[in-house]
Amino acid sequence: QKEVEQNSGPLSVPEGAIASLNCTYSDRVSQSFFWYRQYSGKSPELIMSIYSNGDKEDGRFTAQLNKASQYVSLLIRDSQPSDSATYLCAVNGYGGSQGNLIFGKGTKLSVKP
Amino acid sequence: DTGVSQDPRHKITKRGQNVTFRCDPISEHNRLYWYRQTLGQGPEFLTYFQNEAQLEKSRLLSDRFSAERPKGSFSTLEIQRTEQGDSAMYLCASSRTGAADTQYFGPGTRLTVL
């Protein structure tokens, strides 16, 4: 059973702080990793994708991947109240270039002004 | 790019009725996915098309569920004899071959079964 685990939160950080979101996955052959943001009542919105070990930065967002530890994280710098949402970690379901994504349950982030 | 679109956005039905949802993917995307999401859970995979071929179905997709993508463009998801447990957000996503499963989601169809 392929699984993706996330702390459900809520994670509360003050405005301007760094928010750190974590995710572990069970399938060692997974090759594609994604972070989606989902506002209440809305659909998931892609924020970041990462495929290789190390860090990938895009604006205020940094994704980190450690395949040996089966761990992927998302850092949000200079957190804003508009970042308050549920963050979903998703992992490619198979070790190839097709197939479904397996999602964690999401971590709810609250950024306090 | 026009994003993924879904219709209707909301559907309320009575138990036992049939419902059909439509998804229009991003125009150059040849892969189309259906997911279901309930409150407090991440999206769960239902089925996946590459062009018009349905390549994969989850065991979540019972015999009451059927999906089609007849011309490799839009897709429909039909639920027959709806049950209260079918109440959920039904999400469609699309991606392009070679894009490493980068899937973009539509706005979803929220189904309520009374």
Side-chain angles (χ1 to χ4, degrees):
Chain A
Q1 179 75 10
K2 301 179 179 69
E3 292 182 345
V4 176
E5 299 287 341
Q6 296 181 254
N7 286 329
S8 61
L11 173 66
S12 184
V13 300
E15 183 174 356
I18 296 175
S20 177
L21 305 163
N22 305 314
C23 172
T24 58
Y25 60 95
S26 63
D27 188 359
R28 286 193 169 274
V29 301
S30 297
Q31 294 187 358
S32 305
F33 306 87
F34 304 89
W35 284 99
Y36 287 83
R37 177 175 64 198
Q38 187 171 30
Y39 293 112
S40 181
K42 302 296 186 182
S43 64
E45 173 192 8
L46 181 68
I47 298 176
M48 294 281 291
S49 59
I50 186 167
Y51 311 106
S52 304
N53 280 329
D55 295 358
K56 179 182 178 183
E57 186 174 321
D58 184 359
R60 296 187 295 113
F61 299 98
T62 299
Q64 299 174 317
L65 175 61
N66 184 326
K67 290 186 178 180
S69 300
Q70 295 175 240
Y71 176 90
V72 59
S73 67
L74 179 71
L75 299 178
I76 306 174
R77 290 182 300 282
D78 187 24
S79 296
Q80 301 297 309
S82 59
D83 294 326
S84 298
T86 296
Y87 289 80
L88 297 165
C89 173
V91 174
N92 155 250
Y94 297 88
S97 62
Q98 57 183 324
N100 57 294
L101 295 178
I102 298 173
F103 285 83
K105 293 183 179 181
T107 298
K108 188 171 184 177
L109 172 66
S110 177
V111 181
K112 303 295 186 185
Chain B
D1 274 343
T2 304
V4 179
S5 62
Q6 293 186 245
D7 184 69
R9 298 288 302 275
H10 303 274
K11 179 70 176 180
I12 299 174
T13 191
K14 293 182 179 179
R15 189 175 52 188
Q17 298 295 304
N18 299 344
V19 294
T20 300
F21 309 141
R22 175 177 170 133
C23 171
D24 287 87
I26 293 171
S27 59
E28 68 270 23
H29 286 187
N30 62 333
R31 293 179 179 171
L32 187 148
Y33 309 79
W34 287 99
Y35 293 83
R36 180 173 67 187
Q37 187 176 24
T38 54
L39 197 62
Q41 303 294 316
E44 296 176 295
F45 170 74
L46 294 178
T47 190
Y48 148 60
F49 292 85
Q50 178 158 305
N51 301 313
E52 66 274 12
Q54 188 173 18
L55 296 188
E56 192 176 344
K57 291 195 292 186
S58 163
R59 64 180 183 278
L60 291 175
L61 210 68
S62 76
D63 291 345
R64 297 183 299 104
F65 287 70
S66 63
E68 294 183 342
R69 195 182 183 198
K71 297 183 179 178
S73 57
F74 72 92
S75 175
T76 58
L77 178 68
E78 181 183 17
I79 309 174
Q80 296 182 328
R81 304 182 304 280
T82 52
E83 302 172 355
Q84 287 185 325
D86 297 330
S87 295
M89 174 80 89
Y90 289 84
L91 294 162
C92 176
S94 70
S95 72
R96 186 164 42 89
T97 307
D101 302 315
T102 305
Q103 299 180 22
Y104 298 90
F105 283 84
T109 295
R110 181 165 297 283
L111 173 65
T112 302
V113 181
L114 301 176

